Amino acid sequence: MKRNYWYVIITYIVMQLSAFVGVPLLRALGVGQGAENRVEAAKLASGYWAIISFLLAFVMILWLLRGDRDERTMRRLPLASSWMWAVLGVFLALAAQSIAANIEWRLLGIKPGSDNTRQIIDIIRLTPLLIVVTSIIGPILEELIFRKIIFGSLYEKYNFWPAAVVSSLLFAIVHMEPEHLLLYTSMGMVFAFLYAKTGRIFVPIFAHVAMNTFVVAIQTLLADELEKMMRQAELPLAVWRVWL
């Protein structure tokens, strides 16, 4: 793996761990003092630190990857075909997520819904600017790390399946919801397929960004209406929920 790829991975790890220092620092500086309670204050500080840390990591990672070629040994599809797969990829990712969620619920007995997503949505309601992170910056960084660097590096030495499985499992582990390992892995497999199919990293990036934007819009703007519909249909409320 290239040296700058290791620097990118280290930057990403530091960003993920920085909250242990950054959130208390913001609290000490007075962020969240006007909150109604300590929980809300902590969420405010977490939201603002996520914005700061993701923006800094995003700028640094883009600088580290400057001039890096998108494709390696992958065959590149024409732009028109690649854009078709980018749009189709949104629906493939949502379909994979739905199938995996149903397998977890109906076959494995795992309760539907994501605590991670619910917490993020709660913080977004307090710090709306966080939408930029969850909908755009976060997905871009994840695709650069898990598809371009990890999957791409493994794909050069092995075939699709080992590279896709390993990178997708790492993608799932980072979301820190082990009960939903199948669900996040399935999404990672879709994004890996899109990258391998087109040879263009913007394709899984587009699909991932569009999917996350859809999730945020659904769960922040239409949550009440959807829950009302599910109650009327006498279905579990968590069935309609999707994951970031």
Side-chain angles (χ1 to χ4, degrees):
M1 189 182 295
K2 297 178 182 179
R3 181 181 297 180
N4 63 321
Y5 285 0
W6 286 111
Y7 293 154
V8 169
I9 292 173
I10 291 170
T11 300
Y12 184 79
I13 293 172
V14 170
M15 178 201 72
Q16 293 285 6
L17 298 177
S18 67
F20 292 106
V21 175
V23 173
L25 176 62
L26 291 184
R27 292 291 303 278
L29 293 174
V31 174
Q33 284 185 346
E36 295 182 358
N37 51 60
R38 294 179 63 183
V39 173
E40 186 173 296
K43 288 181 178 180
L44 277 168
S46 297
Y48 285 120
W49 183 254
I51 294 167
I52 294 169
S53 60
F54 270 79
L55 281 173
L56 289 175
F58 184 61
V59 171
M60 184 170 293
I61 287 173
L62 289 183
W63 181 78
L64 288 170
L65 293 176
R66 68 193 186 283
D68 193 78
R69 290 178 62 84
D70 181 26
E71 70 286 354
R72 296 177 171 118
T73 58
M74 300 179 188
R75 179 177 62 88
R76 297 180 71 192
L77 288 184
L79 272 177
S81 299
S82 296
W83 275 112
M84 180 196 72
W85 278 105
V87 175
L88 180 60
V90 181
F91 300 97
L92 291 176
L94 290 171
Q97 185 182 93
S98 177
I99 293 169
N102 274 280
I103 291 174
E104 288 182 347
W105 176 36
R106 299 179 187 277
L107 298 182
L108 303 179
I110 298 172
K111 183 181 177 181
S114 167
D115 292 334
N116 177 61
T117 299
R118 280 192 289 269
Q119 291 173 7
I120 292 173
I121 296 301
D122 288 343
I123 297 173
I124 285 176
R125 292 192 176 105
L126 295 173
T127 53
L129 189 58
L130 187 61
I131 291 175
V132 177
V133 170
T134 58
S135 297
I136 301 174
I137 296 177
I140 292 175
L141 289 181
E142 288 178 347
E143 292 310 306
L144 291 176
I145 299 293
F146 296 102
R147 251 60 68 182
K148 178 179 176 64
I149 293 179
I150 297 177
F151 170 78
S153 297
L154 292 173
Y155 189 75
E156 287 185 331
K157 296 182 178 180
Y158 309 101
N159 61 29
F160 171 82
W161 289 105
V165 170
V166 171
S167 60
S168 298
L169 281 173
L170 291 173
F171 171 72
I173 291 169
V174 164
H175 285 82
M176 294 182 292
E177 287 189 291
E179 69 275 19
H180 296 303
L181 190 71
L182 174 63
L183 188 143
Y184 286 110
T185 300
S186 67
M187 288 191 292
M189 294 291 290
V190 170
F191 296 136
F193 165 76
L194 292 173
Y195 186 29
K197 179 69 177 178
T198 63
R200 298 179 185 272
I201 193 62
F202 83 81
V203 174
I205 285 177
F206 177 89
H208 199 162
V209 167
M211 189 190 75
N212 275 31
T213 301
F214 171 76
V215 171
V216 171
I218 287 292
Q219 300 204 32
T220 56
L221 303 177
L222 303 175
D224 293 339
E225 290 78 3
L226 284 170
E227 289 193 6
K228 182 179 178 181
M229 290 170 58
M230 297 300 287
R231 287 195 182 97
Q232 290 174 346
E234 298 183 351
L235 293 172
L237 295 179
V239 171
W240 63 266
R241 294 189 182 278
V242 283
W243 285 253
L244 290 170

